[in-house]
Amino acid sequence: MPVTMLIKYGTVDFTSSATSWRESDPKRVNPVSNMLMHGAKIQGEATYEPRMVQIQIQVQGSTVEEARTNMDNIVGAFPTGENNLYKHSDRYLKAHYKGHTEIAPAEGSAGLVWDVTLSFIAGDPFYYPEAGSTTATNANLTPSPQSVSITNSGTEVIFPKLSITANGGTITSISVRNNTLSPTRTFDYVVTIAAGNTLVADLPNFRITNS
């Protein structure tokens, strides 16, 4: 499915009312967290500043009361807590709604047009892909190697999510090669998967678990 503009927070879609989107460029926080006598203690994971987003919206009405009601219907419907904030239909931020500037009629509009700027904060500054529909392909990898065919029924480029279970015994290494690309791409991972455990390589989100 083609990517489209989608300005939405939680379940509130206000794409048609949004007139501008501004966001900060989060910087990496200095990883040195605690100075020691013989050097510095480095954090295990890099941390980043939160991403700040400001969205200006404009609503109209046939009367002053209707215009203000239309504005309140958007702002007042925002859910509390952390929710997905979309800029496009294929990605989102995990954000909190901070508040808004003073809601006021646009100059020269006779009260029929109202403007406001909404503020959001994403403590995790990274965009996440919309899950969309998925197709699971199962295969017995014994004996190894085995060939598995995976078909992407959509139109967007997406990385696969690999789940490998050690049913018969311990697995000590994994090598997965994509032969459809030129040059080929290989995922190599030296790891011990205990019998009965599953390694999940979530390639779209760059995350690996083994349990």
Side-chain angles (χ1 to χ4, degrees), residues 165-171 192-198 210-211:
T165 302
N167 285 325
T170 301
I171 296 176
T192 297
I193 307 176
N197 285 0
T198 299
N210 182 6
S211 59

Side-chain angles (χ1 to χ4, degrees), residues 188-211:
D188 292 316
Y189 198 64
V190 179
V191 63
T192 297
I193 307 176
N197 285 0
T198 299
L199 180 137
V200 178
D202 187 358
L203 301 184
N205 295 312
F206 305 100
R207 184 181 299 115
I208 295 178
T209 58
N210 182 6
S211 59

Side-chain angles (χ1 to χ4, degrees), residues 11 14 23 48 52 68 72-73 87 93 95-96 101 103 195 200 202:
T11 59
F14 51 103
E23 62 182 69
Y48 292 80
M52 312 299 293
R68 178 57 196 253
D72 292 340
N73 287 341
K87 182 180 181 182
L93 292 165
H96 286 81
T101 57
I103 299 177
V200 178
D202 187 358

Side-chain angles (χ1 to χ4, degrees), residues 4-207:
T4 59
M5 179 174 291
L6 176 65
I7 313 298
K8 185 173 79 169
Y9 183 62
T11 59
V12 183
D13 184 342
F14 51 103
T15 306
S16 60
S17 301
T19 58
S20 70
W21 174 298
R22 298 191 307 274
E23 62 182 69
S24 63
D25 183 17
K27 302 296 190 297
R28 179 174 173 175
V29 177
N30 187 347
V32 178
S33 59
N34 185 23
M35 297 300 295
L36 302 178
M37 183 177 297
H38 300 293
K41 179 180 179 181
I42 306 299
Q43 294 175 345
E45 296 183 2
T47 57
Y48 292 80
E49 297 174 343
R51 188 181 297 272
M52 312 299 293
V53 177
Q54 290 188 320
I55 305 172
Q56 185 173 11
I57 65 174
Q58 184 178 86
V59 299
Q60 303 179 23
S62 57
T63 65
V64 174
E65 292 75 13
E66 183 182 83
R68 178 57 196 253
T69 298
N70 291 339
M71 176 68 76
D72 292 340
N73 287 341
I74 295 175
V75 177
F78 286 155
T80 59
E82 183 180 83
N83 295 273
N84 294 344
L85 175 63
Y86 288 83
K87 182 180 181 182
H88 297 94
S89 58
D90 68 335
R91 74 205 76 162
Y92 61 86
L93 292 165
K94 299 177 181 178
H96 286 81
Y97 173 57
K98 287 184 60 183
H100 55 76
T101 57
E102 180 182 359
I103 299 177
E107 185 176 352
S109 69
L112 303 182
V113 179
W114 292 67
D115 293 316
V116 70
T117 299
L118 311 173
S119 296
F120 299 85
I121 180 171
D124 177 352
F126 299 104
Y127 279 90
Y128 288 84
E130 180 67 7
S133 60
T134 59
T135 300
T137 301
N138 299 318
N140 187 344
L141 302 183
T142 304
S144 182
Q146 292 286 332
S147 295
V148 179
S149 178
I150 301 175
T151 301
N152 180 3
S153 58
T155 60
E156 301 297 325
V157 176
I158 187 66
F159 294 102
K161 182 177 181 180
L162 308 174
S163 296
I164 302 172
T165 302
N167 285 325
T170 301
I171 296 176
T172 56
S173 65
I174 299 168
S175 182
V176 180
R177 185 173 61 193
N178 186 339
N179 290 321
T180 62
L181 298 178
S182 180
T184 59
R185 300 290 191 272
T186 303
F187 170 75
D188 292 316
Y189 198 64
V190 179
V191 63
T192 297
I193 307 176
N197 285 0
T198 299
L199 180 137
V200 178
D202 187 358
L203 301 184
N205 295 312
F206 305 100
R207 184 181 299 115

